[in-house]
């Protein structure tokens, strides 16, 4: 156990090389943990935020951290030669920052907020950061993820919609709106090859979308008994979905019939009469490019 935070911890992240761990807490601090040769762990406190922090993530090269907070700011942290960390503040959001994520090349950040906006931050040659506002969601942005090639973003919101954003030649971003969830969207992710988008929500469903084909028949849906709070997509194409203490795993490239079979076997202990409640495969869902 790593003890040190005095309030609830809601986000942790391993450094890319696996040698350090970053954690954030509702006491407004971020901690960077380093394992010592004797197996113990030491920590550095990063304490520039003035309110609860909600998201922390390492840059792809492991030299920087980004964090988002209820103080409505994003901070980019850089480690100094003496082991301390300095922060650069990114201001623009009008409400608490719920999510931050680095692009795969480490040159840009994306953040989501309670203010309904997604922002894309780009570092300038003088060390300052500029931002583009991606507006369109009508409620809190819960999750944001970059595509593997860094050309697109996906965002999920309490407005029940998923948006896939594509950058245009003039620097603006156009959205593809994916509608299918009946309650708020809590988590979004890309497949490692960038061909599919996954979303999970309070309605207990995980939806798999083909962002290049606006076609409801391309929608794969898995249904569960409670909220889908988070999930992960592995490099070999397996989707892991924590849901009320259970983990369900299935290959994301499976056909609809194969997914049905896997989920039915995962639900072997659920009475037959309750299967529709816990594991269904509804196919309704629409997408559009309107705002």
């Amino acid at each position: 156990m790593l003890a040190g935070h005095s309030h609830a911890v809601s986000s942790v992240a391993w450094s890319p090389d696996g040698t350090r761990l970053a954690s954030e807490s509702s006491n407004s601090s971020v901690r960077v943990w380093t394992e010592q040769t004797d197996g113990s762990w030491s920590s550095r406190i990063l304490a520039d935020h003035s309110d609860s922090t909600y998201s922390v993530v390492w840059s792809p090269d492991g030299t920087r951290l980004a964090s988002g907070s209820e103080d409505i700011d994003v901070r980019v942290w850089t480690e100094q030669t003496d082991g301390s960390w300095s922060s650069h503040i990114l201001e623009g959001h009008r409400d608490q920052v719920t999510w931050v994520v680095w692009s795969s090349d480490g040159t840009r950040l994306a953040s989501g907020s309670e203010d309904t906006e997604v922002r894309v931050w780009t570092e300038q040659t003088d060390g300052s950061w500029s931002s583009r506002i991606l507006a369109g969601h009508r409620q809190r942005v819960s999750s944001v993820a970059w595509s593997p090639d860094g050309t697109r973003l996906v965002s999920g919101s309490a407005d029940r919609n998923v948006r896939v954003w594509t950058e245009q030649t003039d620097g603006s971003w156009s959205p593809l709106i994916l509608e299918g969830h009946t309650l708020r969207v809590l988590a979004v992710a890309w497949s490692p090859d960038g061909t599919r988008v996954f979303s999970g929500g309070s309605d207990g469903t995980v939806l798999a979308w083909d962002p290049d084909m606006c076609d409801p028949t391309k929608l794969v849906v898995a249904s569960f008994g409670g909220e889908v709070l988070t999930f992960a997509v592995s490099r070999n194409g397996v989707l892991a979905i924590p849901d009320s203490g259970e983990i369900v795993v299935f290959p994301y490239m499976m056909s609809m019939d194969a997914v049905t079979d896997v989920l039915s076997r995962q639900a072997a202990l659920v009475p037959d009469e309750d299967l529709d409640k816990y594991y269904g495969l509804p196919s309704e869902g629409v997408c559009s490019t309107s705002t």
Side-chain angles (χ1 to χ4, degrees), residues 90-107:
L90 309 186
E91 298 176 303
H93 282 297
R94 295 169 288 107
D95 208 333
Q96 64 188 52
V97 179
T98 57
W99 202 266
V100 290
V101 60
W102 291 93
S103 60
S104 58
D105 62 3
T107 62

Side-chain angles (χ1 to χ4, degrees), residues 137-156:
H137 282 299
R138 299 183 301 278
Q139 296 184 45
R140 168 193 175 104
V141 177
S142 305
S143 181
V144 183
W146 287 94
S147 61
D149 63 4
T151 63
R152 292 189 287 183
L153 281 166
V154 61
S155 58

Side-chain angles (χ1 to χ4, degrees), residues 171-189:
S172 63
W173 292 74
S174 62
L176 175 69
I177 305 168
L178 309 178
E179 300 175 280
H181 286 285
T182 59
L183 294 173
R184 59 181 179 160
V185 179
L186 298 176
V188 292

Side-chain angles (χ1 to χ4, degrees), residues 156-265:
S157 168
D159 65 11
R160 301 180 296 178
N161 292 337
V162 174
R163 286 178 177 247
V164 178
W165 306 87
T166 302
E167 189 172 16
Q168 306 302 305
T169 54
D170 63 357
S172 63
W173 292 74
S174 62
L176 175 69
I177 305 168
L178 309 178
E179 300 175 280
H181 286 285
T182 59
L183 294 173
R184 59 181 179 160
V185 179
L186 298 176
V188 292
W190 290 86
S191 62
D193 60 7
T195 62
R196 298 212 182 175
V197 165
F198 294 89
S199 57
S202 292
D203 58 6
T205 64
V206 174
L207 285 64
W209 312 82
D210 183 338
D212 295 314
M213 298 183 67
C214 184
D215 183 348
T217 63
K218 300 299 177 182
L219 185 66
V220 177
V221 182
S223 295
F224 304 89
E227 289 189 331
V228 178
L229 301 176
T230 186
F231 54 81
V233 184
S234 74
R235 294 187 182 279
N236 62 2
V238 175
L239 176 66
I241 310 137
D243 176 59
S244 301
E246 65 174 333
I247 297 178
V248 180
V249 179
F250 58 89
Y252 71 80
M253 293 302 290
M254 294 175 80
S255 66
M256 185 73 78
D257 289 341
V259 170
T260 305
D261 179 63
V262 169
L263 293 177
S264 295
R265 285 188 279 110

